[in-house]
Amino acid sequence: MDTKGIDTSITYEYSEYPDVKAGRCDNCGHTLFKSSVGKGNFLRECRNCGMKKNI
Ligand SMILES: [Zn+2]
């Protein structure tokens, strides 16, 4: 898997880590995400590498 080595055990905040390329995973560039809503946040998880970000 070709990734940038981003820690996928952490949930990132979009306000602090905006998408490098809109709609693409910062870590691996994948475009498919698993989304869930919780605690007022919209959590986006990459289906490829598992990177998580609150949108
Ligand atoms: Zn990814």
Side-chain angles (χ1 to χ4, degrees), residues 10-31:
I10 296 172
T11 299
Y12 292 86
E13 297 294 332
Y14 190 87
S15 55
E16 294 173 45
Y17 299 92
D19 289 350
V20 175
K21 287 184 181 175
R24 286 183 175 266
C25 175
D26 295 341
N27 197 22
C28 68
H30 207 61
T31 54

Side-chain angles (χ1 to χ4, degrees), residues 1 3 25-30 33 46-51:
M1 199 189 322
T3 69
C25 175
D26 295 341
N27 197 22
C28 68
H30 207 61
F33 298 95
C46 177
R47 286 182 180 270
N48 185 40
C49 72
M51 181 189 177

